[in-house]
Amino acid sequence: MQDYDEVTAFLGEWGPFQRLIFFLLSASIIPNGFNGMSVVFLAGTPEHRCRVPDTANLSSVWRNHSLPLQLQDGREVPHSCRRYRLATIVNFSALGLEPGRDVDLEQLEQEGCLDGWEFNQDIYLSTIVTEWRLVCEDDWKTPLTTSLFFVGVLLGSFVSGQLSDRFGRKTILFSTMAVQTGFSFLQFFSINWEMFTILFVIVGMGQISNYVVAFILGTEILGKSVRIIFSTLGVCTFFAVGYMLLPLFAYFIRDWRMLLLALTLPGVLCFPLWWMLTSVGYFALSLNTPNLHGDAYLNCFFSALIEVPAYITAWLLLRTLPRRYVIAGVLFLGGGVLLLIQLVPADYNFLSIGLAMLGKFGITSAFSMLYVFTAELYPTLVRNMAVGVTSMASRVGSIIAPYFVYLGAYNRVLPYILMGSLTVLIGIITLFFPESFGMTLPETLDQMQKVKGFRYRKKTKDSMEKEENPKVLITSF
């Protein structure tokens, strides 16, 4: 079997054909940036407090003291899940007693939010949290929604590779785009949390499958000089473009159903590409942007914006340096700065945000490099399946990422300590991987075994060819 790069050399490295493939495949990734992080706004939890019915016969003083206080971020705020027993304070109000003076509030019996909640609408007009009351006793459903989305991503990572190897890259690419767009549209009609979440699982399956198949298709079609650019500045940067557009959409559309509809429609525009075509720490940081101090929309935009220089850096580093060391290096950077956040005083919010963004920079760079690294290690025969399976394995982290964010409700720096520690550990483990830098993209399992680390010595293309076509040396005795 002839070398693929040699067979397709007549096409050139960066001609009209390659440019068309590069930009169209990259453009197909933009909706992934919407769907992957839309849960930040669709499932946003605004400030809330127990509702006290207007019909309750309470004086203005007792209405203002109807909720117990709780300590939050060093200040006392009304409790979000408890209120004083309504019948009791109505009786006190009728007797003309005043809270604090005639009645010791700390001794009053409390009850849950029997009449529902009042939600602050300064940031969100509506979310799935406000519509289906996913707070207090049901607050566990919010991180579960995100985790189940990544369960779908895990399943999609597993099946997409096998399906595309069997039925073809192009067919599966557009099938998964249809799944992602179609089921996102169906979410608009969700009547309860259960329906929304089940559909979200299927959206996750389509989202990652589209990404993986487009990545592999471009890697296989484009020449080796363009391959790394496509893998970093192509699909990754276009994902970041979609990610950056997300807070812009969310800022102007504060209702979750209309926002979901607006984010779904651009996916329809990708289907005409069927004809001009030829054939996972990262999430926790992105999901944690609403918990950073400052404006949630601006924080989300900065979180997306930092990905662009991260992808550029990944491209520059992969051009000239060994894969293991650059991936480990950016992981050490990302994990190290996340561990430093716990040392920042509470008043220096801007510094905490800066360190979080720097951590996102390092982890994003590593994330994009790992796709390239994996594609270089595995041969054409199983490359799509291998990238899909490894992507599936990374979804275990994606599934538990929402609960990392959830820990921030108990301690602001705890998620960063966990993410930083795990990121540094992953960087250490990366140093033990095989090295693919300078090697020809393997096409067979035999060529894969010649990658440094599998047989413990680097073999050049010439030596590989000699082993595949050995010459017999005849000597006289």
Side-chain angles (χ1 to χ4, degrees), residues 81-94:
C81 297
R82 306 292 295 174
R83 72 182 185 187
Y84 294 121
R85 191 168 181 268
L86 189 58
T88 302
I89 62 176
V90 166
N91 186 43
F92 288 149
S93 178

Side-chain angles (χ1 to χ4, degrees), residues 369-422:
M369 292 178 186
L370 285 172
Y371 273 94
V372 179
F373 193 27
T374 304
E376 291 179 341
L377 288 177
Y378 289 93
T380 305
L381 182 66
V382 295
R383 184 175 296 118
N384 202 114
M385 184 177 67
V387 173
V389 170
T390 51
S391 178
M392 179 193 71
S394 72
R395 299 311 142 194
V396 175
S398 303
I399 292 169
I400 65 175
Y403 292 93
F404 278 41
V405 179
Y406 190 61
L407 291 174
Y410 301 96
N411 188 302
R412 182 181 65 88
V413 299
L414 187 56
Y416 297 107
I417 295 175
L418 291 175
M419 287 186 286
S421 301
L422 289 174

